[in-house]
Amino acid sequence: MASLNQLLKKGKRLQKKRRSFVLSLNSCPQKKGICVEIRNSVSPKKPNSAKRKVAKIKLSSGKHIIAVIPGQGHNLQKYSVVMVRGGRARDIPGVRYKLIKGKYDFSLFEKIKRTKRRSKYGLPKTK
């Protein structure tokens, strides 16, 4: 915190720069990638208990990341083409990315009737 005299001497206060937590996306909203490995048994942090599904992805930029497979069930295999977005899985340490369903080889496992948040699940608008 700068005092009044310091502000008069130096001028304006400097804004703190915001740090991106999704560095591998290179300030892109989404990136295309290829599944290198699929792990079906990653366990979450302390209060939660389950087997979370994660995949190791090689991005189009050449970087390797670990991303969460959202929802119930998936059809991913090795060398499947996927779309990655930012957004961390809070109960899995070190995972900062999620896969987008309904894009490329990552299709919806079952048709769910949704009216809200359809873009997250890649669902068309129902009449």
Side-chain angles (χ1 to χ4, degrees):
M1 194 67 147
S3 70
L4 193 60
N5 282 333
Q6 288 169 335
L7 286 172
L8 289 169
K9 196 174 181 180
K10 289 188 179 177
K12 62 182 178 359
R13 287 191 171 103
L14 292 173
Q15 289 268 313
K16 232 181 193 180
K17 281 191 177 177
R18 280 189 68 196
R19 197 179 102 214
S20 174
F21 290 100
V22 285
L23 295 170
S24 296
L25 294 183
N26 296 338
S27 62
C28 299
Q30 299 97 14
K31 263 216 185 307
K32 193 175 174 180
I34 296 165
C35 285
V36 179
E37 182 189 340
I38 287 142
R39 298 180 201 154
N40 286 321
S41 59
V42 176
S43 50
K45 282 202 285 189
K46 193 63 184 283
N48 295 338
S49 167
K51 293 283 177 256
R52 301 275 186 253
K53 280 74 180 167
V54 296
K56 195 172 185 182
I57 310 289
K58 185 184 180 189
L59 294 175
S60 56
S61 60
K63 291 182 180 177
H64 287 268
I65 59 161
I66 294 173
V68 175
I69 301 168
Q72 298 169 347
H74 65 88
N75 66 329
L76 282 182
Q77 295 173 319
K78 207 172 179 184
Y79 307 119
S80 296
V81 181
V82 290
M83 182 77 95
V84 181
R85 70 177 173 90
R88 72 189 186 102
R90 284 170 192 83
D91 56 358
I92 315 168
V95 179
R96 297 172 176 175
Y97 306 91
K98 287 179 181 170
L99 300 181
I100 298 175
K101 278 199 165 188
K103 196 80 178 148
Y104 304 126
D105 297 339
F106 190 19
S107 63
L108 297 160
F109 199 67
E110 71 259 18
K111 282 284 175 188
I112 322 156
K113 205 167 189 182
R114 286 190 76 94
T115 52
K116 290 174 184 174
R117 290 195 165 197
R118 292 179 296 103
S119 60
K120 258 190 181 179
Y121 299 89
L123 289 169
K125 196 164 191 174
T126 51
K127 301 251 162 89

